[in-house]
Amino acid sequence: MATSGVSIADELRAALDGPWRDVRERARGILDDDRLYGDPALDIKAARARVLEQMQLVASFGWVEGGFRHPDGSPGDPGAVVTALEMLAYTDLSLWVKSGVQWGLFGGAVENLGTERHREYIDELIPLRLLGCFAMTETGHGSDVANLETTATYDPATREFVVHSPTLSARKDYIGGAAEHARVAAVFAQLITGGESKGVHCFLVPIRDEAGSDLLGVTTSDCGLKGGLPGVDNGRILFDQVRIPRENLLNRYADVAPDGTYSSEIENPSRRFFTTLGTLVRGRISVGGAAAAAARVALSIAVRYAEQRRQFADPDTGEETVLLDYRSHQRRLLPLVARSYALAFAQNDLVHRMHLVQTGQATDPRAQRALENRAAGLKVAQTRHATQAIQECREACGGAGYLTENRLVTLKADTDVFTTFEGDNVVLTQLVAKDLLTAYADEVRDLDALGWVRFAATMARDVVRERSGVRQMIQRLRDRSDESVDEGDLSWRSVQLQLFADREDYLVRTAAHRLQARAEETGPFEAFNNAQDHILAAGTAHIERLVLETFIDGIAEIEDPDSRALADSVCDLYVYWTIEQNQAWYIMHRFMSVERAKAVRRGVNELVDRLRPRALTLIEGLGVPEGMLRAAVLG
């Protein structure tokens, strides 16, 4: 048993709640409020109005202020704010997105890219006296931010920037808030001064007056009905020679003097661009966190439903069988619960790293870059998990899962776009892999002649082992297909980590060599395009390894032995199931024998069977109170 008076579910929930567990616990009480939940019966006009009312309520909680520097310049508490706002995903994802646009993206742009001269905007946007939007994406350029077409040309005669959409493809598209509510846009555009482009910068551009009418030169339009998120007023913006004061340039990293002289402390244009985007990493971190939170809601509904729904009679007793007693049902839900645990620990670690960077406590210059790459990788993992888990939960609940009163179809529709915004998942995976390949190239580049010989010899040994099947033969002699989880060395964390790391290392090395070999015959694009599938696999393997590491670290922080033992079994299920998903690769590349692959499959079965009696405990540990599920089927 857990510590007296504290259940194992409580211990698990405390562990998953992470560094800001007090924030999460307070939020659970505040958010158990009917006013904060969506109504799928509303049309988009009414849904948008409802979300705006909900935001006024959220603004009264006192959460938002902590995301911004205090007037005296001291840092706020970004970790607490990201954590608190993530909890909104338990209620209504339209509310979460709209809040994220206002306080995270628009407010974050002003906070992180602006200076003291923009403080008045912060003071107005926090209490919603000023509603804004984040105008980065264009019809013709989504993830390719460096090549946005919108221009902001400086006119020294009037000391103004002229913001313009030179083509239809330069139209700002899918912008949350642009269709109806936003009065000011944080616009990303190519800064041009003295006839020379200085790259993408961010500008504050008024787009509507107090009455809601477009300002001169601004044309907004409504994206209309979407697949989900009806409460978010996504729209489009076109600019026709719109003039704004010089001071509306957010000038933390670059400025333009009254005479048009451009200056920046960061001389390298590429580094300046990535520094600008890097400060906005909080949005990407939040998207992943909200997606994972939505998956926890879906799994909480589906597992609770599977504990009470009965189907088909047991021939021995004549009684109908509880759904979760079927192996197939355990297999479809419990591994996803295990991955939710893994991702929760990974998100806690990521938010903590972000907090240290954004409060100035992480002084290593590489910390920001590492944070950006980790955020990109985890956003991919979390949003893909949400897509898979919510769909599986919908199917697992049968016809009940298709009713809006049980939330699953709404969660599915609302999270679908999460794989796209704040970075398309394929592009982000490539970003992660590119960083790995760069580090690999640097490692090889630094080798002296002796190092090259040793490296080549190591590579040769690996090739010999792979081609001869020696590794596979050794494992075949050692492994048994009928070994239990506890008998096999795959239960050792060191072995699990090694398997994940081996796959990542092999994919990175072979991707690098494939790129190099192809580049000698063709151009850079052809070489990259030819190896793109390989590169994406390397990025995915890296993400999986990072998630496992944070899971292991998270378990180590659980003091109660019974709770830690249960979390260990959940981690084993995450590992076995992940390996099972990739077992063809492990066998094909001789990292695993057929016998061990069979043991992995048996291990998944053994683990879901072991965890089945603790299913409700695990769901309670995920931290979504039953009363907040608002699913009619649960009563």
Side-chain angles (χ1 to χ4, degrees):
M1 290 293 292
T3 306
S4 178
V6 180
S7 70
I8 290 178
D10 291 334
E11 294 278 358
L12 294 177
R13 183 171 59 252
L16 262 63
D17 278 354
W20 287 274
R21 57 178 58 94
D22 59 325
V23 173
R24 291 189 186 276
E25 197 54 46
R26 286 199 303 271
R28 290 187 182 101
I30 294 172
L31 297 178
D32 191 4
D33 184 332
D34 287 339
R35 293 174 295 173
L36 292 169
Y37 289 78
D39 181 353
L42 297 177
D43 60 30
I44 61 170
K45 193 73 175 177
R48 291 172 178 180
R50 180 181 176 89
V51 167
L52 200 54
E53 291 175 1
Q54 291 172 328
M55 287 180 67
Q56 297 288 351
L57 186 56
V58 173
S60 72
F61 295 161
W63 294 348
V64 177
E65 291 84 347
F68 299 88
R69 285 186 297 275
H70 300 294
D72 64 5
S74 59
D77 191 350
V81 174
V82 167
T83 300
L85 292 179
E86 177 194 305
M87 299 292 285
L88 291 177
Y90 291 166
T91 64
D92 184 353
L93 283 163
S94 284
L95 172 60
W96 179 84
V97 170
K98 186 82 169 175
S99 299
V101 169
Q102 172 70 13
W103 293 305
L105 295 178
F106 175 65
V110 180
E111 165 82 353
N112 294 302
L113 301 180
T115 56
E116 189 55 36
R117 76 186 188 196
H118 304 107
R119 180 70 205 186
E120 61 184 274
Y121 289 92
I122 300 291
D123 296 337
E124 293 294 300
L125 70 87
I126 289 176
L128 300 178
R129 289 192 296 266
L130 175 67
L131 294 172
C133 62
F134 186 80
M136 178 183 282
T137 300
E138 294 177 356
T139 303
H141 291 86
S143 299
D144 187 9
V145 178
N147 288 307
L148 295 176
E149 294 181 77
T150 304
T151 57
T153 305
Y154 186 66
D155 180 358
T158 60
R159 297 186 178 182
E160 294 173 315
F161 283 99
V162 182
V163 181
H164 187 60
S165 307
T167 67
L168 186 59
S169 63
R171 177 183 63 183
K172 296 298 181 181
D173 215 343
Y174 323 119
I175 310 303
E180 194 171 337
H181 296 146
R183 284 175 30 222
V184 175
V187 177
F188 286 78
Q190 303 286 348
L191 189 159
I192 300 172
T193 184
E196 183 179 352
S197 176
K198 298 296 183 178
V200 172
H201 293 65
C202 189
F203 304 81
L204 296 177
V205 184
I207 60 173
R208 284 192 181 87
D209 60 22
E210 295 282 353
S213 300
D214 289 350
L215 294 174
L216 183 65
V218 176
T219 301
T220 65
S221 56
D222 199 320
C223 289
L225 287 170
K226 308 184 298 292
L229 302 173
V232 182
D233 53 323
N234 294 88
R236 304 178 173 105
I237 314 173
L238 277 167
F239 302 101
D240 184 8
Q241 309 293 338
V242 177
R243 289 182 171 269
I244 59 172
R246 179 183 68 90
E247 291 78 11
N248 283 28
L249 166 66
L250 296 179
N251 63 327
R252 180 174 298 277
Y253 297 110
D255 208 350
V256 173
D259 66 357
T261 302
Y262 179 86
S263 61
S264 174
E265 293 182 357
I266 306 174
E267 294 184 6
N268 184 290
S270 178
R271 190 161 69 87
R272 184 166 60 242
F273 169 73
F274 284 109
T275 299
T276 297
L277 293 190
T279 61
L280 306 174
V281 70
R282 193 186 302 183
R284 187 168 288 164
I285 292 171
S286 298
V287 168
R296 291 195 292 273
V297 173
L299 286 163
S300 297
I301 294 170
V303 172
R304 288 182 182 278
Y305 178 73
E307 281 278 22
Q308 66 185 42
R309 177 76 158 86
R310 294 177 178 271
Q311 184 113 300
F312 302 115
D314 183 325
D316 295 327
T317 66
E319 294 183 3
E320 286 189 307
T321 304
V322 173
L323 282 182
L324 202 55
D325 285 341
Y326 289 105
R327 171 64 56 75
S328 61
H329 217 78
Q330 296 165 11
R331 259 186 164 269
R332 74 192 306 185
L333 293 179
L334 294 183
L336 294 169
V337 172
R339 190 159 66 185
S340 280
Y341 270 75
L343 292 172
F345 283 120
Q347 177 72 1
N348 289 340
D349 174 76
L350 182 65
V351 173
H352 180 63
R353 290 169 185 265
M354 178 212 73
H355 182 82
L356 294 178
V357 168
Q358 296 197 342
T359 56
Q361 298 177 68
T363 57
D364 187 332
R366 296 169 296 182
Q368 175 68 43
R369 180 70 176 172
L371 175 67
E372 294 166 31
N373 280 279
R374 187 176 285 254
L378 193 52
K379 185 264 181 183
V380 172
Q382 290 168 312
T383 55
R384 285 182 174 163
H385 169 63
T387 297
Q388 179 184 3
I390 296 170
Q391 176 62 25
E392 196 66 59
C393 289
R394 207 296 299 155
E395 294 182 28
C397 290
Y402 202 59
L403 300 179
T404 56
E405 67 180 13
N406 294 318
R407 295 191 66 188
L408 295 172
V409 285
T410 302
L411 287 169
K412 184 176 185 296
D414 288 347
T415 57
D416 191 46
V417 75
F418 281 39
T419 60
T420 302
F421 68 40
E422 280 300 311
D424 173 85
N425 278 359
V426 172
V427 175
L428 291 184
T429 305
Q430 288 178 179
L431 177 69
V432 171
K434 180 182 177 183
D435 192 66
L436 291 172
L437 290 167
T438 300
Y440 172 79
D442 288 343
E443 178 183 314
V444 173
R445 190 179 299 117
D446 292 339
L447 294 177
D448 56 18
L450 181 58
W452 263 106
V453 170
R454 289 173 175 166
F455 176 77
T458 301
M459 287 293 294
R461 282 199 300 274
D462 285 348
V463 169
V464 168
R465 289 172 66 190
E466 286 151 15
R467 290 182 178 174
S468 67
V470 170
R471 178 193 290 129
Q472 193 175 31
M473 182 181 296
I474 292 171
Q475 288 185 348
R476 188 166 60 247
L477 292 172
R478 186 178 62 189
D479 297 341
R480 303 196 327 270
S481 64
D482 62 344
E483 67 184 16
S484 70
V485 170
D486 298 323
E487 290 173 339
D489 65 359
L490 192 53
S491 64
W492 303 346
R493 292 286 179 251
S494 58
V495 175
Q496 295 171 355
L497 267 174
Q498 190 62 53
L499 275 171
F500 278 52
D502 278 346
R503 181 165 180 258
E504 175 190 351
D505 178 64
Y506 181 90
L507 285 166
V508 172
R509 287 190 293 109
T510 52
H513 284 265
R514 183 173 167 184
L515 280 169
Q516 183 180 20
R518 189 75 175 185
E520 293 173 357
E521 304 170 3
T522 63
F525 173 77
E526 179 64 29
F528 173 82
N529 207 34
N530 175 260
Q532 193 171 24
D533 59 328
H534 200 146
I535 291 167
L536 290 170
T540 300
H542 175 71
I543 296 164
E544 289 173 349
R545 194 258 302 168
L546 289 182
V547 170
L548 177 57
E549 286 184 352
T550 55
F551 199 167
I552 294 170
D553 289 342
I555 291 172
E557 297 297 317
I558 301 175
E559 295 183 0
D560 174 65
D562 294 333
S563 304
R564 188 168 59 249
L566 181 56
D568 270 324
S569 292
V570 175
C571 186
D572 283 333
L573 178 56
Y574 168 72
V575 169
Y576 273 74
W577 185 64
T578 302
I579 293 173
E580 185 182 50
Q581 307 305 301
N582 297 293
Q583 65 182 12
W585 185 92
Y586 280 107
I587 294 172
M588 184 168 62
H589 293 87
R590 296 178 172 85
F591 282 91
M592 181 175 288
S593 66
V594 173
E595 285 73 20
R596 171 160 286 197
K598 291 178 181 178
V600 167
R601 185 188 62 207
R602 289 169 57 88
V604 173
N605 290 339
E606 180 183 331
L607 286 161
V608 296
D609 187 59
R610 180 184 300 180
L611 292 172
R612 192 278 171 251
R614 316 303 292 274
L616 279 183
T617 297
L618 295 178
I619 289 302
E620 290 169 5
L622 286 179
V624 189
E626 188 173 4
M628 288 182 67
L629 296 177
R630 297 298 203 277
V633 75
L634 300 180

